[in-house]
Amino acid sequence: MQIMIDIDAEEPLFAQLMAEIKLAVSTGTISPGDSLPSIRQLANDLNLNNKTVAKAYQLLERDKIIATKGYRGTFVHPEAKENVDFDLNAWVSNQLDQTIQACRNQGATDSEIRIAFTNIMQNKIRGGH
Amino acid sequence: MQIMIDIDAEEPLFAQLMAEIKLAVSTGTISPGDSLPSIRQLANDLNLNNKTVAKAYQLLERDKIIATKGYRGTFVHPEAKENVDFDLNAWVSNQLDQTIQACRNQGATDSEIRIAFTNIMQNKIRGGH
DNA sequence: CTATGTACCATGTGAATAAGTGGTACATAG
DNA sequence: CTATGTACCACTTATTCACATGGTACATAG
């Protein structure tokens, strides 16, 4: 498995790494059960920070592309090949897009939508003021 | 109609003004067909900037609380009393809240939700990278 | 000429956020 | 002791945005 990270790309480093690993899974370069390099090892090889690799690994585990087994290391998830096709971010984008379009159709300003969104994300669903 | 604006309040000035006018409508202080002070006049009386008052007026017109008639001035909308009860911002908040909770339930990170939201608001529903 | 709403231009301020870096520490198990 | 993933802490950098301000200008119609 050879991974190239472009520091100058506008795509975040952790996202690039995620994409590369997903690609490796979908192309069969790595298969379910295969072991992956440790966070520290991969960070060292790619000249990345541990946290950056850890972030990518955490998200990949959430997406059931990989599975960490604590001190035993990290492995490709048994159902990785099925799960690489599901893009959570795309799903989220679709959900949000529908809602936003509905709000716009009701006449809401983008500014108002943004403010409402921010309030919700901060659990400040303020009513009066 | 007496309107008080609190410069030190955390509520934005234009929002305060909107709330005051809505209140005046719902309490009957002003009635459909009544004329409202001009933007410049009200800005002067309340010591606000023209743009701030104009913003409040524009949003109130969108919400069909008031109706501007060009050079003839601004008036309380015929159906103002019915429309003051509908809070577009609250409706937007509800829509967004439901969608966001659904995304969270799918495992999406708040950060991911924010990024997807930002991309959509910028019409950059990027697919690849 | 005056007043209406409206449309541009621009600026400043403050807050929130993403991304990444860095360090320390922990329990686990070989 | 070493290596695993993981959890905290704090910090910098850059971007985006809401809000408010200021000025200029326009067509409209009295």
Side-chain angles (χ1 to χ4, degrees):
Chain A
M1 173 170 59
Q2 51 180 340
I3 292 181
M4 291 293 300
I5 300 294
D6 180 8
I7 305 182
D8 296 327
E10 59 181 40
E11 185 81 352
L13 303 180
F14 79 92
Q16 290 185 49
L17 181 54
M18 287 181 68
E20 297 265 17
I21 293 178
K22 277 188 170 186
L23 182 63
V25 169
S26 66
T27 58
T29 307
I30 51 179
S31 301
D34 288 357
S35 73
L36 287 157
S38 76
I39 289 179
R40 293 173 176 83
Q41 179 67 46
L42 192 54
N44 193 50
D45 290 352
L46 300 177
N47 236 303
L48 296 176
N49 188 279
N50 289 349
K51 305 302 182 63
T52 305
V53 178
K55 183 174 183 178
Y57 269 32
Q58 282 179 339
L59 290 173
L60 286 171
E61 185 177 27
R62 180 205 58 184
D63 294 344
K64 296 188 175 58
I65 306 297
I66 67 178
T68 74
K69 302 191 177 181
Y71 64 95
R72 272 165 290 175
T74 307
F75 302 85
V76 178
H77 192 279
E79 283 121 34
K81 288 191 82 68
E82 296 87 319
N83 295 331
V84 281
D85 293 330
F86 179 72
D87 188 341
L88 180 59
N89 282 321
W91 184 84
V92 168
S93 285
N94 280 336
Q95 299 297 310
L96 284 175
D97 190 50
Q98 290 180 19
T99 302
I100 290 170
Q101 300 311 331
C103 292
R104 281 173 172 161
N105 288 341
Q106 285 294 316
T109 304
D110 279 12
S111 176
E112 289 173 316
I113 296 175
R114 282 202 190 89
I115 293 171
F117 177 83
T118 302
N119 286 336
I120 294 171
M121 296 303 281
Q122 293 174 343
N123 291 323
K124 283 191 211 157
I125 314 181
R126 60 175 172 182
H129 65 88
Chain B
M1 174 169 62
Q2 51 181 343
I3 291 181
M4 292 292 301
I5 300 294
D6 180 8
I7 305 181
D8 296 327
E10 60 181 39
E11 186 80 353
L13 302 179
F14 79 93
Q16 290 184 49
L17 180 54
M18 287 180 68
E20 297 264 17
I21 293 178
K22 277 189 170 185
L23 182 64
V25 169
S26 65
T27 59
T29 308
I30 52 179
S31 301
D34 287 357
S35 74
L36 287 156
S38 75
I39 289 178
R40 292 173 176 83
Q41 180 65 47
L42 192 53
N44 194 49
D45 290 351
L46 300 178
N47 236 304
L48 296 177
N49 187 278
N50 290 349
K51 307 301 183 64
T52 305
V53 179
K55 182 174 184 178
Y57 269 32
Q58 281 179 338
L59 291 173
L60 286 172
E61 187 177 24
R62 180 204 56 184
D63 295 343
K64 296 188 174 59
I65 306 297
I66 69 179
T68 75
K69 303 191 177 181
Y71 64 94
R72 273 165 291 175
T74 306
F75 302 85
V76 179
H77 193 279
E79 283 121 35
K81 288 191 83 69
E82 296 87 317
N83 294 332
V84 281
D85 294 329
F86 179 71
D87 188 342
L88 179 60
N89 282 319
W91 184 84
V92 168
S93 285
N94 281 336
Q95 299 296 311
L96 284 175
D97 190 51
Q98 290 180 20
T99 302
I100 290 170
Q101 299 312 330
C103 291
R104 282 175 172 158
N105 289 341
Q106 285 293 318
T109 304
D110 278 12
S111 176
E112 288 174 317
I113 296 175
R114 283 202 189 89
I115 292 171
F117 177 84
T118 301
N119 285 336
I120 294 172
M121 295 303 281
Q122 293 175 344
N123 290 323
K124 280 194 213 157
I125 314 181
R126 62 174 171 181
H129 68 92

